[in-house]
C-alpha cells in the first residue's frame, strides 16, 4: 500500500506539517482513495468529515494514533495474546499468562472470524458500512505509524517498543469482541483458565500448567457487571419538555470510567454527509460515537445491574469428570491445549468447554468435583451487533426511532441507555444483552441450593442436566438465549428519567418499573446515596429549591448542578456525627488505639458539606463514610429516596469508624483543603481535582486511593466524558469536557489542558453546526488519505 497523501496536523500549538500545507477545502475522495478532512478544534478535538465510511474510519484511526497510539498498540498486544512475551509474567504482570491463554483460545477457535460470517445486515453479521469503518481505522492507524516510525514516536510509553506494530481489521474486531464479553466470560477469565478436573490425567508436558490456578473470589463473580470493581459506573439524566426551560430535550452524560489505560474515552465529531453526523465520545480504539448526539437525539449510557452470564450446574458421569450428563446421555467436554509464549519459554494449559460455554471454577462456591462442574453461557460472546447498533443510534431522528433500534438489534452489551429528543421526549431503557432467565425458568430450573443466591443477587445457576433448562428463545428477541424487549424495562416520560447504576426500579420515582426478571435487577430495595442525590437534584431544580434562578433546566444550570459537589451522606448525618464526637471526644480504633476526636469534630463542624477544591474536612468524612456510615432507621419502600437517613449514633462502630478515619489520615491535616490533597499529576504539575467517593453520597464521582501521609495524589476512576447537551430548534448546544484530556502522551499539547479546565469547573462548548465550529478561534484543518488497496 503506497501512501498517496499523508498530512500531519499543522497546528497552532506546534505540531509540524509533513510536506503539505493545511487545507480548508471539503473532504473529496475519488473511488479507490481514503480521504478524510480533519478539523482540530480547541483542546485538540477532531471533527472528521469523509464521503464514505472507509474514509471516515481512516480519519478516526489516524487522529487516534496521533493522540493515543500507545493505548491502542497495547490493546493489540492483549488481543494477540502477547502480553507475557512483551510485558513479563512476574509480580504485577503475573496475570498476563492468564490473559494470554484466554485470548489465544479465542484465536485458536476462530471465534471472531466466525462472527464475521453470515448476512451483512447488522444483526446476523456486521454491515458493510461498519466493516469499512474498521478497515479504514486500521489503515489510518498504520499510515500514521508508517509516517512517524515506531522509533520516533513522542510518547515515551511506547516509543521504540517492539510491540508497536501495524494492526489489522481482525485485531480491531478481536479488541471489540473482548469489550463485548468484559462483563461475561471476560469477568471470569481467571476461573476459565483455572478450571481443571479433580483427578490427574496424562503426565504434564514440559511447560504445561496443571492443577488449580488462582481463580476469582466468589463475591467478585456474583457482583460482576462490567468486569470492573464494584462502585464504578455512571450518572445520566434524560430531561423532557416538562423539565427544560426551552421545552426541548436535554441529556446529561456523566460516565465514570478509568482515567488511564484502554478504557479512556476520546472526544470526536464524525460526519459522512447525508448518512451520519454525530458528536460525542467513544472508547479509544473504537471507530464510532458511543455516547453523544446528532441534530435531534442525544443519549448516554450507565452500567446496568443485569448479569451477563448464567451458570449451568453439570452432573458428571461416574468416573469421568470431563463427561457430563444431558437428558440422561453422556456428553464429552471439548478439551484443548492452548499454548502461549513467555520470556521463559512456551506455556500451555488445557481448557475445557461444554455446549453451554466454558467450564469455570470459583473456589469454595463453584468447585469442580468428581460429581459436579459448572459452565457459563455468555450471550455477548456472540454479540456482533454492537457497532451497527451505535451506528443506527447515531442516525435516529427521535426517541421512537431509538427504541426501534434497541428492539430490533438488542446490541448493548452491559449498559442502560438514557436519551432525549428535540421534541422533549425522554427515555430510559435497560435493553442490554441479558441471558434469558425468566421467572418461570428460574422457578423450574434453579436447584434449591442456588435459589437464595438468585433471589439475593440475580446470579442464576441453572440445572445443566436437562434440555428444558436451556436459555431458549423469546419470540421477540433478536437472537436466541437473551431476554426479548417485552421482558426488558423501558420508560418514556415528558419530565425526566435518571440512572446512577442502581436498577431500573426508580428511573423516575413517579412511575416505578416493576415485575421484571430478577436477573436484570432488584426492586423495592434501598437505593445508593448517589442514586438518591441524583434524583433529589432534579426534583429540587424543578421545584426551584436549589438556590439557582428559574425552575427548569438549561445547559448552564445542568452543568452547575452536576458539579455542585454535594456530599449527600454528609447532609444526612454530619450534624449528628459532630454531636456524637463532641459528647465522646475519645474513641477506640479497630486496632485498639485510643484516639482523640477533638480535631476531627472541629474539622467536620467547619466542613461545607461539599467536595469542592476549597472544602475543608471533606476527606475526613469520606474516610469515615467508607468505614462506618450506618443508619438507625430501616429502608422503607414507600419512601425510597429518604430512607434510611438517621445516623446510628448508638452503634459503637460509628465512633470506631471515625477513630479509624483519623488514624488513616495521620500526617494529613484533618481540615486540609481538598484541592491541596486530591490531585492529578501531569508531568511535574499536580492539578487539584474536585469530586468525591459515592460512598459519601457524591454525584460527581472521583475515586483515588489514599496514600498515607500524602493524600489522594492520583485519580484512578470517576467522571470522564461530561456532556450537557440541549437539542434546540437551531441545533444542539451545551457544554462538554474530557476530564483527563484528549491525549495520554505527556508530550502532546492536549495532555493536560482539559484537566486544568475541569479543575476550575470550566467547559468546552458543543460544536455540532458549521457555525459553532467555525467560531472556534483555534480551528486548524488538514487532510489525511492514501490510495486503497
Amino acid at each position: 500500500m503506497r501512501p498517496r497523501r499523508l498530512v500531519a496536523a499543522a497546528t497552532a500549538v506546534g505540531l509540524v506539517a509533513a510536506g503539505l500545507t493545511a487545507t480548508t477545502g471539503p473532504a473529496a475522495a475519488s473511488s479507490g482513495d481514503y480521504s478524510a478532512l480533519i478539523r482540530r478544534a480547541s483542546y485538540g478535538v477532531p471533527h472528521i468529515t469523509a464521503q464514505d465510511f472507509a474514509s471516515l474510519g481512516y480519519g478516526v484511526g489516524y487522529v487516534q494514533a496521533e493522540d493515543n497510539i500507545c493505548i491502542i498498540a497495547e490493546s493489540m498486544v492483549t488481543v494477540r495474546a502477547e502480553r507475557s512475551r512483551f510485558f513479563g509474567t512476574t509480580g504485577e504482570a503475573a496475570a498476563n499468562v492468564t490473559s494470554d491463554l484466554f485470548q489465544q483460545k479465542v484465536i485458536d477457535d476462530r471465534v471472531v472470524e466466525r462472527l464475521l460470517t453470515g448476512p451483512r445486515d447488522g444483526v446476523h453479521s456486521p454491515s458493510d458500512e461498519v466493516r469499512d469503518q474498521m478497515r479504514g481505522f486500521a489503515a489510518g492507524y498504520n499510515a500514521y505509524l508508517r509516517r512517524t516510525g515506531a522509533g520516533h514516536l513522542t510518547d515515551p510509553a511506547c516509543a521504540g517498543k517492539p510491540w508497536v506494530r501495524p494492526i489489522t481489521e481482525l485485531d480491531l474486531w478481536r479488541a471489540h469482541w473482548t469489550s463485548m464479553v468484559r462483563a461475561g466470560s471476560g469477568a471470569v477469565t481467571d476461573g476459565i483458565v483455572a478450571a481443571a478436573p479433580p483427578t490427574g490425567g496424562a503426565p504434564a508436558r514440559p511447560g504445561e500448567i496443571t492443577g488449580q490456578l488462582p481463580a476469582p473470589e466468589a463475591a467478585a463473580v456474583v457482583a460482576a457487571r462490567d468486569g470492573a470493581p464494584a462502585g464504578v459506573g455512571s450518572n445520566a439524566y434524560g430531561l423532557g419538555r416538562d423539565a427544560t426551560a426551552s421545552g426541548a430535550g436535554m441529556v446529561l452524560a456523566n460516565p465514570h470510567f478509568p482515567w488511564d489505560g484502554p478504557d479512556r474515552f476520546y472526544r470526536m465529531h464524525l460526519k459522512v454527509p447525508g448518512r451520519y453526523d454525530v458528536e460525542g465520545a467513544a472508547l479509544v480504539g473504537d471507530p464510532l460515537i458511543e455516547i453523544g448526539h446528532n441534530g435531534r437525539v442525544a443519549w448516554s449510557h450507565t452500567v446496568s445491574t443485569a448479569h451477563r452470564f448464567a451458570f449451568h450446574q453439570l452432573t458428571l458421569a461416574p468416573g469421568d469428570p470431563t463427561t457430563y450428563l444431558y437428558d440422561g446421555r453422556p456428553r464429552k467436554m471439548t478439551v484443548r491445549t492452548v499454548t502461549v509464549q513467555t520470556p521463559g519459554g512456551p506455556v500451555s494449559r488445557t481448557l475445557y468447554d461444554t455446549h453451554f460455554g466454558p467450564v469455570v471454577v470459583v473456589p469454595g462456591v463453584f468447585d469442580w468435583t468428581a460429581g459436579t462442574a459448572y459452565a457459563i453461557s455468555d450471550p455477548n460472546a456472540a454479540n456482533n451487533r454492537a457497532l451497527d447498533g451505535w451506528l443506527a443510534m447515531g442516525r435516529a431522528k427521535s426517541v421512537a426511532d431509538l427504541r426501534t433500534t434497541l428492539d430490533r438489534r438488542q446490541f448493548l452489551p452491559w449498559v442502560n441507555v438514557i436519551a432525549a429528543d428535540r421534541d422533549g421526549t425522554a427515555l430510559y431503557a435497560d435493553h442490554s444483552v441479558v441471558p434469558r432467565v425468566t421467572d418461570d425458568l428460574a422457578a423450574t430450573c434453579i436447584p434449591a441450593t442456588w435459589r437464595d443466591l438468585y433471589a439475593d443477587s440475580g446470579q442464576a445457576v441453572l440445572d445443566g442436566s436437562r434440555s428444558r433448562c436451556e436459555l431458549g428463545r423469546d419470540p421477540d428477541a433478536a437472537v436466541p438465549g437473551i431476554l426479548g424487549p417485552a421482558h426488558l424495562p423501558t420508560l418514556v416520560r415528558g419530565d425526566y428519567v435518571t440512572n446512577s447504576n442502581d436498577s431500573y426500579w426508580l428511573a423516575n420515582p413517579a412511575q416505578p418499573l416493576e415485575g421484571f426478571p430478577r436477573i436484570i435487577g432488584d426492586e423495592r430495595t434501598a437505593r445508593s446515596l448517589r442514586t438518591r442525590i441524583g434524583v433529589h437534584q432534579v426534583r429540587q431544580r424543578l421545584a426551584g429549591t436549589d438556590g439557582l434562578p428559574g425552575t427548569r433546566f438549561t445547559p448552564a444550570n445542568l452543568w452547575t448542578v452536576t458539579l455542585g459537589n454535594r456530599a449527600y451522606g454528609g447532609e444526612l448525618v454530619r450534624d449528628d456525627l459532630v454531636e456524637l464526637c463532641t459528647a465522646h471526644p475519645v474513641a477506640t480504633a479497630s486496632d485498639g488505639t485510643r484516639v482523640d476526636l477533638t480535631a476531627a469534630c472541629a474539622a467536620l463542624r467547619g466542613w461545607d458539606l461539599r467536595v469542592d477544591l476549597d472544602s475543608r474536612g471533606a476527606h475526613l468524612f469520606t474516610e469515615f463514610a467508607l468505614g462506618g456510615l450506618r443508619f438507625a432507621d430501616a429502608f422503607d419502600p414507600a419512601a425510597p429516596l429518604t430512607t434510611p437517613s438517621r445516623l446510628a449514633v448508638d452503634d459503637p462502630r460509628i465512633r470506631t469508624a471515625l477513630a479509624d478515619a483519623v488514624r488513616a489520615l495521620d500526617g494529613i491535616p484533618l481540615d486540609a483543603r481538598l484541592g491541596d490533597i486530591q490531585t492529578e499529576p501531569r508531568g511535574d504539575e499536580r492539578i487539584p481535582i474536585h469530586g468525591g467517593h459515592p460512598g459519601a453520597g457524591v454525584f460527581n464521582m472521583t475515586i483515588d486511593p489514599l496514600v498515607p501521609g500524602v493524600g489522594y495524589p492520583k485519580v484512578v476512576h470517576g467522571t470522564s466524558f461530561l456532556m450537557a447537551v440541549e437539542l434546540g430548534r437551531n441545533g444542539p448546544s451545551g457544554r462538554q469536557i474530557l476530564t483527563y484530556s484528549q491525549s495520554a502522551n505527556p508530550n502532546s499539547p492536549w495532555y493536560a489542558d482539559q484537566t486544568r479546565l475541569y479543575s476550575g469547573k470550566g467547559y468546552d462548548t458543543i460544536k455540532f453546526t458549521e457555525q459553532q465550529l467555525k467560531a472556534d478561534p483555534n480551528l486548524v484543518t488538514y487532510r489525511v488519505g492514501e490510495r486503497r488497496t
Side-chain angles (χ1 to χ4, degrees):
M1 184 165 56
R2 299 180 63 84
R4 184 173 120 106
R5 201 165 47 237
L6 294 176
V7 184
T11 72
V13 290
L15 293 185
V16 180
L20 292 177
T21 57
T23 178
T24 58
S30 61
S31 62
D33 285 357
Y34 291 114
S35 181
L37 186 70
I38 315 296
R39 293 183 287 180
R40 290 267 193 177
S42 294
Y43 309 103
V45 178
H47 296 249
I48 306 171
T49 303
Q51 296 301 314
D52 57 58
F53 282 94
S55 290
L56 187 67
Y58 187 97
V60 175
Y62 196 96
V63 297
Q64 288 200 20
E66 284 185 305
D67 295 339
N68 291 296
I69 192 169
C70 296
I71 293 175
I72 302 172
E74 184 173 343
S75 295
M76 299 303 105
V77 174
T78 299
V79 300
R80 289 168 175 164
E82 295 178 335
R83 294 196 66 83
S84 300
R85 174 185 170 191
F86 290 112
F87 305 138
T89 61
T90 59
E92 294 183 357
N96 287 336
V97 175
T98 295
S99 172
D100 287 346
L101 289 167
F102 178 78
Q103 295 290 348
Q104 189 63 50
K105 179 175 180 287
V106 174
I107 295 170
D108 291 348
D109 289 351
R110 297 179 59 83
V111 170
V112 173
E113 291 90 329
R114 286 186 278 111
L115 292 177
L116 294 175
T117 62
R120 300 185 177 194
D121 58 2
V123 176
H124 299 92
S125 178
S127 68
D128 286 333
E129 290 174 327
V130 164
R131 291 169 192 259
D132 286 347
Q133 185 88 346
M134 294 289 258
R135 184 179 304 114
F137 188 107
Y141 174 98
N142 291 338
Y144 174 77
L145 178 60
R146 184 170 56 247
R147 181 184 68 79
T148 306
H152 295 89
L153 298 174
T154 62
D155 191 340
C158 66
K161 301 296 185 182
W163 45 270
V164 182
R165 295 176 289 176
I167 65 175
T168 67
E169 293 172 66
L170 192 55
D171 290 329
L172 292 172
W173 282 114
R174 286 175 177 152
H176 176 67
W177 180 88
T178 299
S179 179
M180 292 298 99
V181 302
R182 65 177 295 178
S185 46
V188 289
T189 298
D190 290 348
I192 293 170
V193 174
T199 57
R205 296 190 301 271
E208 184 173 13
I209 304 175
T210 61
Q212 189 68 50
L213 297 181
E217 297 180 359
V221 172
V222 169
R225 295 179 185 173
D226 69 342
V232 307
S234 310
N235 304 315
Y237 292 152
L239 303 173
R241 65 185 72 88
D242 298 330
T244 66
S246 69
M250 293 176 59
V251 165
L252 169 71
N254 182 203
H256 301 148
F257 264 61
W259 279 35
D260 299 284
D263 290 327
R264 282 173 60 114
F265 281 102
Y266 185 82
R267 286 178 57 195
M268 51 189 181
H269 178 191
L270 308 182
K271 184 175 183 179
V272 177
R275 300 170 69 186
Y276 184 76
D277 190 1
V278 184
E279 180 183 23
L283 295 179
V284 171
D286 288 346
L288 290 167
I289 300 298
E290 290 154 341
I291 293 177
H293 65 90
N294 59 29
R296 301 185 64 93
V297 179
W299 71 91
S300 189
H301 297 304
T302 60
V303 176
S304 157
T305 59
H307 287 274
R308 304 302 156 191
F309 56 84
F311 281 96
H312 302 267
Q313 180 177 286
L314 308 176
T315 299
L316 303 180
D320 185 357
T322 61
T323 297
Y324 59 103
L325 301 178
Y326 186 73
D327 286 342
R329 296 174 179 271
R331 285 197 176 193
K332 287 292 294 183
M333 295 179 185
T334 301
V335 181
R336 74 202 67 207
T337 299
V338 177
T339 301
V340 298
Q341 300 300 316
T342 75
V347 169
S348 299
R349 176 71 174 174
T350 300
L351 304 179
Y352 301 84
D353 277 296
T354 70
H355 77 282
F356 299 111
V359 179
V360 176
V361 296
V362 181
V365 181
F366 302 113
D367 292 305
W368 193 340
T369 69
T372 305
Y374 297 87
I376 64 164
S377 54
D378 177 4
N380 271 313
N383 184 359
N384 55 3
R385 309 176 299 280
L387 289 178
D388 276 287
W390 275 305
L391 180 64
M393 286 184 76
R395 291 166 159 168
K397 294 181 173 60
S398 65
V399 158
D401 273 357
L402 203 58
R403 290 190 66 184
T404 298
T405 292
L406 296 172
D407 287 351
R408 176 173 179 259
R409 298 180 184 275
Q410 290 196 263
F411 66 94
L412 294 173
W414 31 267
V415 291
N416 305 294
V417 62
I418 294 86
D421 63 20
R422 181 187 291 182
D423 294 330
T425 302
L427 168 73
Y428 164 85
D430 187 344
H431 266 42
S432 54
V433 175
V434 186
R436 186 187 168 277
V437 180
T438 63
D439 290 342
D440 288 344
L441 185 69
T444 303
C445 290
I446 294 180
T449 305
W450 302 111
R451 288 174 189 163
D452 287 346
L453 175 66
Y454 183 69
D456 292 342
S457 71
Q459 182 65 70
V461 182
L462 302 172
D463 182 352
S465 69
R466 295 183 289 161
S467 59
R468 65 178 296 187
C469 293
E470 293 270 11
L471 294 178
R473 179 165 191 166
D474 279 349
D476 59 340
V479 295
I482 65 175
L483 292 172
H487 279 122
L488 300 173
T490 303
L491 184 62
V492 176
R493 299 278 301 185
D495 50 1
Y496 71 91
V497 294
T498 178
N499 185 265
S500 293
N501 304 123
D502 275 320
S503 75
Y504 51 83
W505 179 44
L506 295 183
N508 185 303
Q511 190 177 350
L513 293 167
E514 297 182 345
F516 294 93
R518 180 66 182 87
I519 194 171
I520 306 175
D522 52 8
E523 302 168 6
R524 301 181 67 77
T525 59
R527 304 290 93 175
S528 73
L529 293 179
R530 181 159 58 93
T531 290
R532 289 164 60 180
I533 185 62
V535 177
H536 286 318
Q537 287 177 163
V538 174
R539 287 180 158 185
Q540 291 164 2
R541 172 84 295 269
L542 298 182
T545 58
D546 59 1
L548 299 175
T551 56
R552 292 193 177 191
F553 279 100
T554 65
N557 63 40
L558 178 56
W559 197 263
T560 300
V561 166
T562 302
L563 299 183
N565 287 333
R566 294 168 58 184
Y568 182 56
E571 293 177 12
L572 292 177
V573 308
R574 189 274 306 270
D575 291 348
D576 287 341
L577 182 60
V578 168
E579 184 177 344
L580 178 65
C581 71
T582 300
H584 304 279
V586 178
T588 302
S590 297
D591 63 0
T593 303
R594 298 284 286 171
V595 177
D596 185 346
L597 301 180
T598 304
C601 283
L604 291 171
R605 187 180 297 111
W607 177 37
D608 63 4
L609 300 177
R610 296 183 184 269
V611 285
D612 285 327
L613 297 183
D614 289 331
S615 296
R616 295 181 177 274
H619 57 302
L620 173 60
F621 184 79
T622 295
E623 293 301 320
F624 160 75
L626 295 180
L629 185 52
R630 294 176 172 84
F631 295 101
D633 53 328
F635 168 71
D636 181 358
L641 298 176
T642 55
T643 60
S645 61
R646 291 186 292 105
L647 185 69
V649 293
D650 295 329
D651 189 331
R653 291 175 294 179
I654 296 293
R655 294 171 60 213
T656 297
L658 185 55
D660 287 344
V662 173
R663 294 269 289 161
L665 294 170
D666 185 36
I668 301 171
L670 299 182
D671 62 349
R673 288 178 67 255
L674 185 62
D676 291 338
I677 60 172
Q678 181 168 274
T679 58
E680 172 68 10
R682 287 293 184 271
D684 295 331
E685 182 182 7
R686 307 207 68 84
I687 301 174
I689 300 295
H690 50 83
H693 201 284
V698 177
F699 191 70
N700 179 28
M701 190 167 90
T702 301
I703 294 180
D704 38 11
L706 173 65
V707 176
V710 175
Y712 309 88
K714 178 72 186 78
V715 179
V716 298
H717 207 95
T719 292
S720 51
F721 173 59
L722 185 60
M723 176 184 75
V725 59
E726 180 175 51
L727 300 157
R729 297 294 171 184
N730 296 321
S733 61
R735 304 177 175 188
Q736 56 187 333
I737 196 170
L738 192 62
T739 58
Y740 36 69
S741 301
Q742 194 78 349
S743 176
N745 178 359
N747 291 310
S748 168
W750 304 305
Y751 175 61
D753 50 354
Q754 289 186 75
T755 309
R756 298 187 193 102
L757 188 66
Y758 175 69
S759 177
K761 297 187 180 180
Y763 58 89
D764 189 17
T765 56
I766 298 292
K767 296 181 177 70
F768 184 78
T769 67
E770 282 296 305
Q771 182 179 6
Q772 291 167 335
L773 182 59
K774 289 179 178 178
D776 190 316
N778 300 310
L779 192 65
V780 174
T781 301
Y782 58 105
R783 186 179 297 154
V784 295
E786 64 183 71
R787 186 168 297 283
R788 300 181 202 174
T789 57

